[in-house]
Structures are given as C-alpha cells and as structure tokens.
Amino acid sequence: MIWDAVIQPFADFGFMRRALLGCVAISLGATPVGVFLMLRRMSLTGDAMAHAILPGAAVGYLVAGLSLGAMTIGGMIAGMAVALLSGFVTRATALREDASLAAFYLISLALGVLIVSTRGSNVDLMHVLFGTVLALDDAALILLCSLASLSVVTLALLFRPLVLECADPQLLRSVSGLSAVTHFVFLALVVISLVGSFQALGTLMAVGIMILPAAAARFWATGIGGLLIAAVAVAILASLSGLLLSYHYSLPSGPAIILVAGLAYGVSLVFGPAGGLVARALPRRHLEA
Amino acid sequence: MTSWRPTLRLLLLGAGPRLAGAAAIVALLWLGFVWATSSPGAP
C-alpha cells in the first residue's frame, strides 16, 4: 500500500525522480534564503525579484530559443540589474528600498510581458510563468544542483553577518566592513535562488517554495538554526507530497507543491507551538521563582 | 573606524562546522543527482 502510493512512482519513472531531485535542490538552496528574506521583513521582495527576472529570460529565449543556459543567464542579468540598481538608489538617495525595488521590478515586469507576448507563443508564456517540474532534463538538474550548492556554501560562509544584519544592521555596520557586501551577496543569492526555482516552478510560483515553508517554520521554531531546519523539512515534504498528489490525481505539479506548502502554513498557523493560534489561546504558565 | 580583524573574526567564528555541514549537504545532493539520472526505469 505505502509502496504503491509513495515509493513506486519514484522507483518506476525517471521523470518523477528528476522532479523530486529538482525540488529537493530548490528546497536546500532557495528555502533558507526565504528564511532570511522573512527575517529581514523582505518577503515581498522575493516576489518582486521573481517578476524582475522575466525580461532577461524572455530575451534569452528570443536569442537562443528554448535554451536553459541562455534563459538562466538572461534572468540572472535582469535580476541582478534590478537588485543592484534598487540597492544603489536606496543607498544613494532618500528613496527607501521597498519603493525603489517596486519601481524597478514593475518596469522589468512590463518589459518582460511585452517581449514574451509580442515575440513568443502562448505555450512559451505558460512555460515561463508556470515552469516544467516534470520535464527536468540532465542540464536543468545540473543547473539546479549547482545553484543549490553555491547557495548552501555561501550561506554557511556568510551565516553570522547575515544573522547580524537581520538582528541589528547598525551593529554590523559599526563592527565590520561586511554590511554592504553582505547585502549585495544576499540579493545575489535571492536572484540565484529564483532563477533556479523558475526552471521548475515558473516565475509566478518560484517564490512560493521560498516563503511559505519559511512562514510555516516560524510557528515551530524560534532560533535561527531551528527555523532553517524546519523550513527545509517543510519544503521537502511539500515537494514530495505535491509530486505524489500530482501523479495520483493528475494535477498540475507546480501548483500542487505550492498548495501543500500552503496547507503546511495553515496547519502551522493554527497548531504551531511558537505563537500559533491554539498556543496563544491556551492559558500560559506563570513563571515561578 | 572599521578594521579587518573583527570582520575576519565575524566570518571565521564557527565557520568550520558550518562549512563541513554545507559540504555534507552538497555531497548528498550530488549523490541524489547520480541516483536520479542513472537509476533504471522509464525516463
């Protein structure tokens, strides 16, 4: 029974194994970045950046056809340009980061939709918007695993400055010269994570696997280590469950994965011990000497 | 006034175990790649 429902799809079909590995790579590489986005109160920044990579991917498609490398490089250039420009405007002018990012991502999104709708077909548009997690080939998997490896090693190296910037950016700025470097490397990690995720889940849902597990984990853990572990666990379980639901009930796999992550968020919101609705409703123990 | 010593200390404190953990995760991920791309079964 369990073999038929859970193991057999992955044992029998290579495309299911590839989809699972792609989702695990995204969970390991992109979800921890989502945790830091949440801690820095930049959850919507991820969504903005997901839209910002669209024109680069579209130009990559126009130049080289449905080439993974060209679309990735294009998306990375567009995302980095928006991240760097909005970061520069924030540091050089009176405009705050949310406003400068919103301005650049809206321009980028409009440009991307213009390019895709005037030069591509509806199928291309659907591919870019919703991804193709069940059609990941070797090249796509190598790209996803490479980006996840880069993200994991960079996060391990910059862990302390990143945590310090979440908790007290002024302190980081005063005790080291790493503030600006950390900020730009973090934005680069956001772009890299989105470019990897959009191959599988599309630009519209790429940010879902970054933010929803992070938001769910917030109700189960309070320390940064616990948050990272819980978020990655939720992302991997959502990927596995979403792929199995997609296989057994012929559902589109990307939305199934994100909806399972959304369900995990809903359950955590109600039953999570760290600030969930039930935990808040129950009377708390008084502290004793 | 900032200097490189506190910056380096901030970067390197506890970096060994974190990088070892990251290396283990990366190794497992690439083992998964070998499993997913070379196992028998329909493509």
Side-chain angles (χ1 to χ4, degrees):
Chain A
M1 179 67 181
I2 292 177
W3 172 269
D4 290 342
V6 180
I7 308 291
Q8 197 174 33
F10 300 104
D12 286 353
F13 296 106
F15 72 90
M16 287 293 285
R17 285 195 297 274
R18 289 162 181 274
L20 181 64
L21 178 73
C23 290
V24 168
I26 292 169
S27 302
L28 288 172
T31 305
V33 177
V35 171
F36 282 104
L37 275 174
M38 182 186 70
L39 290 176
R40 296 176 68 167
R41 297 180 178 86
M42 289 171 65
S43 299
L44 287 175
T45 302
D47 199 29
M49 294 303 297
H51 293 87
I53 64 177
L54 188 58
V59 169
Y61 171 73
L62 289 181
V63 170
L66 207 56
S67 157
L68 198 64
M71 290 172 72
T72 299
I73 292 170
M76 210 171 277
I77 291 172
M80 289 303 296
V82 169
L84 291 174
L85 280 172
S86 64
F88 171 75
V89 169
T90 304
R91 284 168 186 270
T93 71
L95 202 62
R96 300 186 69 148
E97 184 161 26
D98 60 332
S100 62
L101 186 64
F104 282 111
Y105 109 77
L106 286 169
I107 295 167
S108 192
L109 176 64
L111 190 62
V113 171
L114 188 78
I115 293 169
V116 172
S117 57
T118 53
R119 304 294 293 272
S121 68
N122 285 341
V123 177
D124 302 330
L125 188 60
M126 294 294 279
H127 171 80
V128 169
L129 292 181
F130 298 107
T132 49
V133 70
L134 293 180
L136 295 173
D137 56 8
D138 281 4
L141 283 181
I142 288 173
L143 179 83
L144 284 175
C145 290
S146 302
L147 293 180
S149 304
L150 181 66
S151 176
V152 167
V153 171
T154 308
L155 283 176
L157 202 61
L158 283 180
F159 182 78
R160 285 171 64 86
L162 277 171
V163 172
L164 199 53
E165 184 150 276
C166 294
D168 193 345
Q170 298 299 329
L171 178 64
L172 178 65
R173 205 168 291 178
S174 64
V175 299
S176 83
L178 280 174
S179 177
V181 175
T182 305
H183 185 74
F184 286 121
V185 170
F186 179 69
L187 287 178
L189 279 181
V190 173
V191 173
I192 284 171
S193 302
L194 287 169
V195 167
S197 305
F198 116 89
Q199 308 292 342
L201 298 170
T203 55
L204 288 184
M205 278 177 292
V207 77
I209 200 74
M210 295 171 71
I211 298 299
L212 280 172
R218 174 62 188 81
F219 293 104
W220 297 99
T222 49
I224 182 76
L227 270 177
L228 289 171
I229 292 169
V232 170
V234 169
I236 291 175
L237 281 175
S239 303
L240 182 65
S241 312
L243 284 173
L244 288 172
L245 282 173
S246 157
Y247 175 82
H248 289 296
Y249 298 103
S250 302
L251 299 171
S253 44
I257 291 168
I258 301 303
L259 279 175
V260 174
L263 182 68
Y265 169 71
V267 170
S268 307
L269 183 72
V270 177
F271 298 108
L277 292 174
V278 171
R280 286 197 164 210
L282 291 174
R284 297 181 193 178
R285 285 181 57 191
H286 290 287
L287 293 174
E288 294 171 6
Chain B
M1 186 71 183
T2 59
S3 73
W4 281 108
R5 189 170 291 178
T7 301
L8 277 178
R9 189 186 300 164
L10 187 68
L11 274 179
L12 295 179
L13 204 65
R18 283 200 307 275
L19 284 173
I25 290 171
V26 169
L28 283 174
L29 184 63
W30 285 99
L31 276 177
F33 174 79
V34 173
W35 166 75
T37 53
S38 62
S39 305

